[in-house]
Amino acid sequence: MTVLAGAGVVVTGGGAGIGAALARRFAAAGARVVVNDLDPDASHAVAADIDAVALPGDAATEAGVAALISGARAALGEVDVYCANAGIGEGVGLDASEEAWEHSWDVNVMAHVRAARLLTPAWLARGRGHLVTTVSAAGLLTMLDASAYAVTKHAAYAFAEWMAITYGAKGITVQAVCPRGVRTALLDASGPAARLLLDDDALAPEQVADTVVDAVAAGAPFLILPHPEVARMYAGRAADPDRWLTGMRKLQGRLDQAREG
Ligand SMILES: NC(=O)c1ccc[n+]([C@@H]2O[C@H](COP(=O)([O-])OP(=O)(O)OC[C@H]3O[C@@H](n4cnc5c(N)ncnc54)[C@H](O)[C@@H]3O)[C@@H](O)[C@H]2O)c1
């Protein structure tokens, strides 16, 4: 269990979408919030709304993560909950550029590793800390037309799992958030595959934030699924990979057909 009233919470990518909803919901629960975003205006606007501290900047690079964590420690004392939420969807297929792969790797994976590296020693020393990573159902299943996204989100999930195993018995709580579609700018920009697969069941960012903040307060489960059906899909993929691939190929075929007109 993590007591949220008075807790120091950092949300990366908190200027928009799921991150902004998380920042607002944590503030409503009485947490002292740091709102990070690459976009300074967005970061300041959300922070001003909820009486939080804005620390804009890049939450993925080694220097950016270090600056964010030292700024957050100065503002909050220690960080109680770190939400590595910022993420990007770049690169469609095999033609995705080296830069798109590198950028996806940096923001979707290394941002989590870099933050954990800096936070974990202090958390171990005081016997508690809480890392929440926004992964995606794409990290448990896949995402059509999003090669770099699907692969890096799998890596993000693997890192969260590794952290939970390595430090879970030492006072550090780790949780991975794996939604399907959420109505944000990222979903709007993800093209026909997102519309085919996700639009009908897409949640509002506030609905995701409600589920996440309740689970953070409870300290469980590890795998936070705002769309509960993902558990069944994930189990189906593991139980019979060939059957799962056949189903996914059908969806890919529908997508190819829709694109061809
Ligand atoms: N929207 C969906 O359907 C969906 C589904 C599953 C998972 N997710 C994940 O949720 C997270 C949030 O996505 P969203 O849909 O709210 O996207 P969004 O694009 O609406 O918001 C993301 C925010 O992160 C910021 N950002 C990007 N790179 C950053 C960086 N390096 N440092 C700091 N801030 C940065 C952007 O400026 C933006 O304000 C991502 O990790 C995404 O992969 C989204």
Side-chain angles (χ1 to χ4, degrees), residues 15 26 51 66 102 113 157 166 177 180 183 188 200 208 211 227:
F26 276 117
D51 207 13
E102 254 170 55
V113 177
Y157 184 73
T166 309
V177 186
R180 297 182 74 210
R183 282 182 227 105
D188 288 345
D200 288 350
V208 174
T211 306
H227 300 77

Side-chain angles (χ1 to χ4, degrees), residues 92-160:
V92 173
L94 280 177
D95 55 349
S97 65
E98 288 288 326
E99 290 73 26
W101 277 94
E102 254 170 55
H103 194 203
S104 302
W105 182 247
D106 247 4
V107 182
N108 293 346
V109 186
M110 290 311 293
H112 305 189
V113 177
R114 290 169 181 146
R117 199 188 274 148
L118 294 177
L119 292 162
T120 301
W123 283 350
L124 287 175
R126 70 177 188 156
R128 72 189 160 86
H130 201 140
L131 176 68
V132 182
T133 62
T134 308
V135 183
S136 168
L140 302 174
L141 303 166
T142 191
M143 181 62 199
L144 302 184
D145 275 3
S147 54
Y149 189 76
V151 171
T152 55
K153 289 294 185 179
H154 272 69
Y157 184 73
F159 181 66

